[in-house]
Amino acid sequence: MKKAVPAVITKIRARQILDSRGIPTVEVDLHTNKGMYRASAPSGASTGMYEAVELRDGDKGKYLGKGVSKAVNIINDKISEALMGMDPQLQSQIDQAMIDLDKTDNKAELGANAMLAVSIAACKAGAAEKEAPLYKHISDLSGKSSTTLPVPAITVISGGKHAGNNLAVQEIMILPVGASNFEEAMQMGSETYHHLKAIISEKYGPSGCNVGDDGGFAPNISGISEGLDLVIEAIDRAGYNGRIKLAIDVAATDFCIGKKYDLDFKSPNKVGQNFKTGEDMIEMYSQLCTEYPVVSIEQPFDKDDWEHTKLFTALGLCQVVGDDLLMSNPKRIERAINEYTCNALLLKVNQVGTVTEAIEVVKQAKDANWGVMVSHRCGETDDSFIADLAVGLGAGQMKSGAPCRGERLAKYNQLLRIEEELGSEAVYAGENWRSP
Ligand code: PGA
Ligand code: ZN
């Protein structure tokens, strides 16, 4: 009998493609003797000093300095040479080989965009070699046996840096926790989204239905309560009262001035500045949690405002998600766990840089009984990897924007396929979204 030859990495080729905002990003084709596996890196608007560095060319004459040809060349030369002949199933060894080659704390030498795209492509090749679905391979890599379909955190209204309206807060999301499975959750999300479109059109005219980066509607509303009222009305019209909860991503780092918060930061005709203190913001959030079914607030304060984040978390009013506060960085997560600063991790894989490290930070968060929300970035591609990641790690929550626009649906649609494939074994996180 002919013995099966184990797959090894035979070739890695990268190229520059464009993301959903029309900004260059890295795509990788990783070849083994069994096939070709493709992956690409996303990119965000809120990038900061604690996250792994995205390598960009800085040549202002091309793509306004945002080209990634250096990262592409690094993959085609250095990374390719280092990984040649390796077994794609050995994810941690592949990631470690890149980390050793990089030698920096923040992936500045090879670029987190280069490393992540290769890491994801290798993960896909590893799953194929094992003849296992990607989510199953990820679950094995993390040492878990069970998988869970996450509750989708669906963006319905966009603001902040993601939209051209005056709303300071970046996102209002709906969480169909009362659905009986993922497919029903998407149906509830999509129907509510379309009712919201009609309501916004009636109140603000059709231009209010133009969408932001993540596909959420961007009407010119003056504040968060006005947005929440619209969403509540849409949930009501759709008939899902009580079965859909609300979440907010404040992305407050973007409007923190010194130690205060400027909720008018995008308003062209501000009359005096409406600055709020950390205490004012706590008061505002507490009120929102009492008046609306808000169950999760992401990045309610500045990335370095540990003090107010902790004070708000201690009130126990909702899940408090650390985005810029943590930057998916294990040291910052450790500090937040020790100091009880927040109680959930927003996992942005490109802030970590490799699949292995993403698995580790999720374990770190889960060991602390935190919630975990796997997240897309505002600049996305059609790569659906995070859907498999969310299922494989049993994250319980996945945020991928609106039920609209291809790059957002690439992830939600992959979850529909996974649920179908798992059949009777599929478990939807539902009401257990914080601890599936
Ligand atoms: P970003 O947004 O990709 O612009 O960082 C996503 C988020 O803040 O959750
Ligand atoms: Zn965020």
Side-chain angles (χ1 to χ4, degrees):
M1 211 171 76
K2 221 169 125 197
K3 201 164 168 272
V5 184
V8 293
I9 298 173
T10 53
K11 187 164 106 177
I12 303 177
R13 277 291 159 268
R15 69 182 61 83
Q16 175 170 291
I17 60 165
L18 298 180
D19 73 15
S20 57
R21 302 164 304 175
I23 296 177
T25 192
V26 178
E27 178 174 85
V28 166
D29 290 352
L30 183 144
H31 299 255
T32 69
N33 41 338
K34 300 254 169 87
M36 190 275 280
Y37 308 91
R38 180 168 287 161
S40 50
S43 170
S46 57
T47 47
M49 52 191 158
Y50 308 106
E51 69 178 84
V53 172
E54 190 174 67
L55 203 62
R56 296 216 176 260
D57 298 343
D59 172 358
K60 295 276 183 235
K62 280 188 186 158
Y63 289 106
L64 296 92
K66 299 208 162 153
V68 292
S69 66
K70 281 185 195 159
V72 164
N73 290 338
I74 284 173
I75 294 172
N76 289 341
D77 302 334
K78 284 190 194 166
I79 294 182
S80 176
E81 194 186 308
L83 304 188
M84 207 50 54
M86 287 183 83
D87 177 348
Q89 292 179 87
L90 305 177
Q91 187 72 40
S92 63
Q93 293 182 20
I94 289 171
D95 291 339
Q96 194 57 50
M98 289 194 281
I99 292 165
D100 292 344
L101 194 62
D102 174 76
K103 295 194 190 71
T104 66
D105 271 352
N106 57 357
K107 306 195 166 53
E109 187 64 32
L110 300 183
N113 42 355
M115 291 171 73
L116 180 69
V118 174
S119 183
I120 294 176
C123 193
K124 292 178 182 176
E129 170 63 8
K130 209 195 261 177
E131 294 181 359
L134 185 52
Y135 59 85
K136 175 73 175 65
H137 177 49
I138 294 168
S139 157
D140 291 347
L141 289 172
S142 76
K144 275 170 73 275
S145 52
S146 59
T147 55
T148 315
L149 271 302
V151 167
I154 302 172
T155 306
V156 290
I157 289 188
S158 294
K161 277 194 179 173
H162 290 178
N165 54 3
N166 291 341
L167 182 66
V169 167
Q170 188 178 284
E171 287 162 60
I172 299 175
M173 291 166 274
I174 52 174
L175 272 60
V177 297
S180 52
N181 54 39
F182 183 79
E183 186 187 4
E184 191 188 15
M186 284 315 292
Q187 183 191 332
M188 290 164 72
S190 163
E191 288 172 8
T192 305
Y193 182 79
H194 288 105
H195 281 294
L196 179 63
K197 184 173 187 174
I199 292 166
I200 291 174
S201 189
E202 285 157 24
K203 296 195 174 164
Y204 306 85
S207 68
C209 301
N210 290 345
V211 300
D213 286 348
D214 308 353
F217 300 118
N220 228 338
I221 52 179
S222 57
I224 183 73
S225 298
E226 196 176 336
L228 291 170
D229 285 335
L230 293 170
V231 177
I232 290 291
E233 195 178 332
I235 292 171
D236 198 42
R237 268 200 207 177
Y240 295 125
N241 260 331
R243 294 176 67 203
I244 294 185
K245 302 291 181 192
L246 305 180
I248 302 168
D249 180 4
V250 185
T253 307
D254 293 336
F255 54 87
C256 179
I257 320 280
K259 287 195 174 302
K260 297 212 173 157
Y261 296 90
D262 182 8
L263 287 169
D264 281 341
F265 87 108
K266 295 198 297 177
S267 170
N269 351 297
K270 338 189 200 195
V271 277
Q273 283 166 322
N274 182 18
F275 283 3
K276 300 245 181 275
T277 62
E279 282 71 27
D280 295 337
M281 297 294 279
I282 291 179
E283 179 68 35
M284 182 181 88
Y285 298 137
S286 304
Q287 218 169 340
L288 293 179
C289 289
T290 334
E291 288 172 12
Y292 300 93
V294 170
V295 293
S296 177
I297 301 186
E298 180 181 331
Q299 205 53 42
F301 303 93
D302 179 57
K303 65 180 184 317
D304 288 317
D305 194 344
W306 296 77
E307 181 198 342
H308 290 102
T309 314
K310 178 177 173 155
L311 284 170
F312 178 58
T313 301
L315 298 178
L317 296 172
C318 66
Q319 170 178 265
V320 179
V321 186
D323 178 359
D324 311 346
L325 175 88
L326 306 172
M327 302 215 175
S328 306
N329 177 315
K331 291 198 188 109
R332 293 183 66 94
I333 297 170
E334 191 187 335
R335 176 172 170 195
I337 290 171
N338 292 338
E339 298 181 9
Y340 301 99
T341 316
C342 61
N343 53 34
L345 164 71
L346 190 83
L347 175 73
K348 289 171 164 172
V349 278
N350 71 321
Q351 286 187 334
V352 205
T354 63
V355 173
T356 304
E357 290 163 287
I359 293 172
E360 279 163 12
V361 293
V362 168
K363 271 200 201 138
Q364 199 185 353
K366 283 183 166 268
D367 286 348
N369 293 318
W370 278 19
V372 174
M373 190 184 282
V374 172
S375 176
H376 68 158
R377 300 306 307 263
C378 66
E380 268 297 337
T381 70
D382 56 6
D383 194 319
S384 59
F385 178 76
I386 59 163
D388 286 81
L389 186 73
V391 174
L393 298 182
Q397 308 166 53
M398 188 191 84
K399 153 175 169 173
S400 176
C404 158
R405 314 214 78 80
E407 75 283 359
R408 310 295 146 189
L409 268 322
K411 285 75 166 168
Y412 292 135
N413 287 340
Q414 175 66 0
L415 289 173
L416 290 172
R417 289 179 208 111
I418 294 174
E419 184 169 69
E420 181 190 63
E421 181 173 293
L422 284 169
S424 60
E425 282 173 37
V427 178
Y428 174 59
E431 301 285 353
N432 300 324
W433 55 283
R434 287 179 77 173
S435 53

